[in-house]
Amino acid sequence: MDSSGWVSLRPGDRFARQLLAASLSRSVLDCHGAEVDADEIRAACLAAGEADPFGLRMAGARVTGRLDLRACEVPVPLRFRSCDFAEPVNVQGAILRELVITAEADPIGGNVLPGLLAAGSRITRDLNLSGMVITGDLPARAENRTSASVWLTEADIGGSLVAQGTRILPAGGRALNGDRMRLGGNVRLLDGFLATGEVRLLAMRLNGALDVIGAEFAPADGRALDLSEAIIGGSVYLLQSPVTGRRCRVRGRIEMGHATVEGEVFIRDADLIAPQAGGGIHFYNVASGAARIMLLAPRLSVHGTLRIEGDSIVHGGLLLPGAQLRGGLTLSGAVWNPSDDALDLTQATLGAGIEAPRVSIEGTVRLDNARVEGPVRMEHATLAKPGGHSAVTAVHLTAAGDVQFRGLAVLGGELDFRGASIAGIFNTEDAFLTNPGHKTISLHMAHVTGNVRLCGRFRSVGQVVLNRAVIGGRLRADGATLIRRPADAEPTVFEAVSAEIRGGVDLGWQVLSGTVDFTGAVTSYLADDPDRDWPAGSVIGGFAYGRLEGVSDAAVRSAWLARMERYDQSAWEHLAAVLRAAGDSDGADSVLVAQRRQTRRLRTAPRRFFDLLQDVTVRYGFRPQRAIYLLLALIAAVTVALSQPGVQAQMRATDQNALVFAPAGARPLPGEHQLPPGACGNGKVRCLSPFFYAVDTVVPLIDLHQRSTWYPVAEDNGVLLEWLLNLCTILGWLASTVFAVSFTRLGRAG
């Protein structure tokens, strides 16, 4: 033995004895490329009870024949270094202390192992295959149709499985089959690890972590790494190597359906490329082969955080329907699955938030019926090429925090949050959303505890819908720009039909084309610019606001309502009520007058005339004093007229005996030979009083017995006088009626 702890193989001596002797001297038996019969190694293993606990160690051998240790018990470590094997190593059902088959990693050549059969084996410590080139397509049993280069099905490894720089190159089968394998340590697939077949660890029980660092998976059938139903006590890492700088590359699908990870799933600076649609999909995980899937993990349970960070690039969908992510989701880099689902968290439960700042996503993000115990943040992210009409679909999402889309760019597709329940704010400040001909945002029937912010440099090319939404805070749209393309079928760019906005509405937006609709909406206050914020043709029927902030001028507000698409009486009456409650009674009356003028345009000609008469006279009852002025003018005119001697000369009275009397001092009319005796017939008839006669003529329902006593005679101008008096009676009746109706309306308004 030399000073390095190595001893050289002596030709002619039995190999088994030399290996045992080297073990007793705690040395490595260096074979220098000599051929060694596998049976000699087996013989040494069977006599391992005589060996040192340091184990049987050999290097540089070319092992011929099949090393068959099935059902054997080797109580000491068994270690091969830089050895080539002509045939597979079979340790199925064996009980081993440790199995180490390693070599110096060689990217061109390397030491070859034509396969390892270790199904059902028990290895107390580690299984280390680092640096080896493992080939072969071996069935675990003769009747198996499935083949793999490494079989670890139902193996029990007390330590770790280590494969640093290992290349597993099956001809057509799996690279590694480890169904129901149990490990007390870690699985470490490290620098330079390469598998050109599937690594299947279905239902594995791993107490430690799964480290995939600087490794590469390039299977032919589509599935790269299968962890379905596995239970992992530590974390799962897919990372760039800090030593060599190799990126982790997976050119195939990762499956983690129904798996449990008690740590976190951490992917950083990795390249993940999905296979072609449908390749290698388990029948119980997905029903359709139409999707291109990178991570298929229905009902995955992660006690920590699922993190995809750095400049990781994912080509394909991340499908996690029904997953439980107690630490939430952190996403950065890029996820590209155009015209399909990029991220599916349908019915998932997240114990923390979704953090995806500045991520680039091509495809649809699905959060339908998901529950997020934290915020949803996608600030300054880019969403494009969705599968369907939605860039983000979050129907009936429950979020315990804010939904933050500040600076988000959506190039096609809508943010669909119908029926969502958001315990914070919904913020799209400075966002750019374009989905011509369709919706850009839908909060239909959503419940938002905080504000809805469509402010800053927010720009929407499409339709924003808040119909029947309940917003506990404010709707802020100051600085926003809303655009409707001429070809869009829907004329409105903003709808808040029957929405309840408890904190108030702050507009200040710029609507370049299209209309807005607040039909039946309710809010505490409205802060807007009536001339700028409401394009012609907008609809606000039934829109109820508690007060007006900013412009409250009645004339401006009346012109605002006049520009609306449809006349709605309730909108005018509500505006008047708001102005009256604010102390502007004159403004309220002006609004109601303008409302009646709007109504007049819709009526028939006779009713329009009556309305016009009301407008000119008493302003539809809001200026009732004008009727009094008209009555007084008529009374004065009749009084002055009857005070003229010539007019009085036309007046006569008749008593019950048919005697005709004239006013005092009346001159005889042509054809009259004498006047009736005395003034007013010496008291036989009521004397003519011009004033009371005027009152009796003009004011209806008042009888002073003047008009019934005195009448114009038919001669001379008496007929004309009779017509004029009757006209004054009609005008007085009309003025009195309008006055009475005005007070009746004011009583109802009060």
Side-chain angles (χ1 to χ4, degrees):
M1 185 182 72
D2 57 27
S3 60
S4 63
W6 290 63
V7 296
S8 298
L9 179 67
R10 298 186 302 274
D13 289 347
R14 188 177 177 187
F15 181 80
R17 291 180 179 177
Q18 293 189 61
L19 184 57
L20 288 171
S23 172
L24 291 173
S25 63
R26 298 186 178 183
S27 301
V28 179
L29 181 59
D30 189 353
C31 300
H32 299 287
E35 290 187 357
V36 176
D37 191 341
D39 289 338
E40 287 293 313
I41 300 175
R42 172 181 165 82
C45 292
L46 294 177
E50 305 173 11
D52 188 86
F54 269 56
L56 300 174
R57 298 182 289 175
M58 56 183 294
R62 290 185 291 118
V63 181
T64 60
R66 174 169 294 201
L67 179 58
D68 189 349
L69 296 176
R70 285 178 294 177
C72 294
E73 182 174 354
V74 182
V76 298
L78 184 58
R79 300 176 181 175
F80 300 89
R81 180 172 180 178
S82 301
C83 294
D84 287 304
F85 293 82
E87 296 188 41
V89 173
N90 192 339
V91 294
Q92 294 186 99
I95 300 176
L96 307 178
R97 177 70 174 171
E98 183 178 55
L99 180 59
V100 178
I101 305 176
T102 62
E104 296 294 334
D106 186 344
I108 300 176
N111 296 107
V112 176
L113 174 63
L116 174 64
L117 295 168
S121 62
R122 290 176 55 192
I123 302 175
T124 306
R125 294 174 60 186
D126 296 340
L127 171 59
N128 192 339
L129 302 173
S130 297
M132 296 298 295
V133 177
I134 304 176
T135 61
D137 289 290
L138 311 175
R141 292 184 295 272
E143 64 273 16
N144 278 15
R145 294 184 179 180
T146 303
S147 64
S149 296
V150 178
W151 280 94
L152 292 171
T153 302
E154 297 182 347
D156 189 344
I157 302 174
S160 298
L161 170 61
V162 182
Q164 179 173 357
T166 306
R167 289 180 289 160
I168 307 178
L169 311 173
R174 295 181 178 132
L176 187 152
N177 196 322
D179 294 359
R180 299 175 298 281
M181 178 172 58
R182 296 177 297 277
L183 293 102
N186 304 315
V187 173
R188 311 203 69 201
L189 310 178
L190 307 177
D191 275 311
F193 174 86
L194 171 65
T196 59
E198 173 190 354
V199 175
R200 177 181 164 109
L201 303 174
L202 182 71
M204 172 182 64
R205 301 296 183 264
L206 174 63
N207 290 341
L210 172 59
D211 298 328
V212 181
I213 302 174
E216 181 175 355
F217 296 79
D221 75 336
R223 192 183 302 117
L225 178 61
D226 190 352
L227 295 169
S228 299
E229 302 178 25
I231 298 177
I232 300 173
S235 299
V236 176
Y237 298 105
L238 279 73
L239 306 174
Q240 183 179 20
S241 171
V243 178
T244 64
R246 284 193 181 96
R247 294 172 66 91
C248 179
R249 290 185 170 87
V250 181
R251 300 179 183 274
R253 183 171 49 262
I254 299 174
E255 296 189 8
M256 299 181 71
H258 301 269
T260 299
V261 180
E262 296 182 5
E264 64 178 354
V265 176
F266 186 17
I267 302 172
R268 184 180 180 87
D269 299 332
D271 297 325
L272 309 180
I273 303 174
Q276 294 302 314
I281 294 177
H282 284 323
F283 71 93
Y284 51 80
N285 281 338
V286 67
S288 171
R292 190 178 182 199
I293 304 169
M294 182 60 237
L295 174 62
L296 180 61
R299 299 195 176 278
L300 168 68
S301 177
V302 180
H303 294 185
T305 305
L306 172 57
R307 297 192 289 168
I308 302 179
E309 296 184 355
D311 63 347
S312 296
I313 300 176
V314 180
H315 294 268
L318 303 174
L319 274 57
L320 299 98
Q324 292 187 352
L325 309 178
R326 297 184 187 178
L329 171 66
T330 299
L331 187 64
S332 61
V335 180
W336 296 332
N337 197 26
S339 303
D340 209 326
D341 292 342
L343 174 63
D344 187 354
L345 288 169
T346 302
Q347 296 184 337
T349 301
L350 286 81
I354 297 176
E355 301 286 342
R358 302 186 184 278
V359 68
S360 173
I361 296 178
E362 292 184 358
T364 296
V365 176
R366 296 193 177 276
L367 301 172
D368 298 335
N369 295 295
R371 184 175 186 86
V372 181
E373 298 294 340
V376 178
R377 300 181 183 275
M378 298 183 73
E379 293 103 328
H380 304 286
T382 301
L383 307 180
K385 301 179 182 179
H389 294 305
S390 296
V392 176
T393 171
V395 178
H396 298 298
L397 166 73
T398 300
D402 299 336
V403 174
Q404 291 281 0
F405 289 143
R406 182 174 183 176
L408 176 70
V410 178
L411 309 178
E414 69 174 295
L415 304 178
D416 187 359
F417 282 76
R418 289 173 293 159
S421 179
I422 300 170
I425 67 173
F426 184 88
N427 186 12
T428 57
E429 182 179 358
D430 298 333
F432 174 72
L433 314 178
T434 175
N435 195 25
H438 301 283
K439 301 179 182 67
T440 54
I441 295 177
S442 177
L443 287 170
H444 179 77
M445 297 187 69
H447 288 253
V448 182
T449 302
N451 298 336
V452 172
R453 296 169 56 87
L454 313 175
C455 51
R457 296 187 299 276
F458 174 81
R459 187 178 182 91
S460 169
V461 182
Q463 187 183 47
V464 178
V465 176
L466 274 65
N467 296 342
R468 301 180 66 184
V470 177
I471 301 171
R474 293 185 295 165
L475 169 62
R476 284 195 54 190
D478 45 296
T481 301
L482 306 181
I483 303 172
R484 171 187 172 271
R485 299 297 189 194
D488 292 352
E490 188 62 44
T492 57
V493 293
F494 184 90
E495 287 186 2
V497 177
S498 300
E500 181 180 353
I501 307 169
R502 296 170 182 168
V505 175
D506 292 290
L507 295 184
W509 55 24
Q510 185 177 11
V511 182
L512 299 184
S513 56
T515 60
V516 300
D517 188 349
F518 276 79
T519 301
V522 178
T523 189
S524 57
Y525 72 84
L526 173 62
D528 66 335
D529 183 338
D531 295 327
R532 181 177 178 271
D533 294 342
W534 301 87
S538 297
V539 183
I540 59 170
F543 180 29
Y545 39 91
R547 67 182 188 277
L548 292 169
E549 298 284 347
V551 180
S552 59
D553 181 75
V556 175
R557 286 293 173 182
S558 296
W560 166 56
L561 292 179
R563 291 196 303 273
M564 297 299 110
E565 173 68 17
R566 293 185 297 270
Y567 167 74
D568 184 83
Q569 179 177 339
S570 63
W572 294 81
E573 292 175 349
H574 181 74
L575 174 59
V578 170
L579 293 177
R580 199 178 303 279
D584 188 5
S585 298
D586 291 340
D589 292 346
S590 299
V591 168
L592 293 176
V593 169
Q595 177 254 323
R596 293 300 302 271
R597 289 172 177 168
Q598 286 291 114
T599 306
R600 188 168 72 214
R601 300 176 182 177
L602 307 176
R603 292 183 170 176
T604 59
R607 295 200 64 181
R608 283 202 300 269
F609 173 76
F610 184 72
D611 274 0
L612 179 61
L613 181 62
Q614 284 187 297
D615 189 3
V616 172
T617 55
V618 292
R619 283 291 186 267
Y620 297 104
F622 296 101
R623 298 293 184 269
Q625 65 273 20
R626 292 187 177 184
I628 300 296
Y629 298 157
L630 178 59
L631 288 174
L632 293 177
L634 290 172
I635 291 171
V638 174
T639 300
V640 170
L642 289 177
S643 298
Q644 303 301 317
V647 175
Q648 289 192 4
Q650 304 290 326
M651 305 301 292
R652 295 291 184 270
T654 304
D655 68 0
Q656 65 271 18
N657 298 317
L659 295 177
V660 179
F661 299 90
R667 298 178 181 177
L669 296 172
E672 289 185 326
H673 300 289
Q674 62 181 4
L675 293 172
C680 304
N682 291 322
K684 292 182 178 181
V685 294
R686 189 181 301 275
C687 291
L688 176 66
S689 171
F691 173 73
F692 289 111
Y693 191 95
V695 173
D696 206 0
T697 299
V698 172
V699 181
L701 304 179
I702 296 180
D703 187 3
L704 301 178
H705 302 290
Q706 287 285 318
R707 184 72 188 271
S708 60
T709 300
W710 295 93
Y711 57 91
V713 296
E715 290 82 0
D716 200 6
N717 296 319
V719 175
L720 177 60
L721 180 60
E722 178 73 19
W723 274 90
L724 292 175
L725 291 174
N726 288 337
L727 177 61
C728 289
T729 299
I730 294 172
L731 293 176
W733 180 86
L734 289 174
S736 299
T737 301
V738 170
F739 180 77
V741 170
S742 300
F743 267 101
T744 301
R745 179 178 291 108
L746 290 177
R748 287 200 304 267

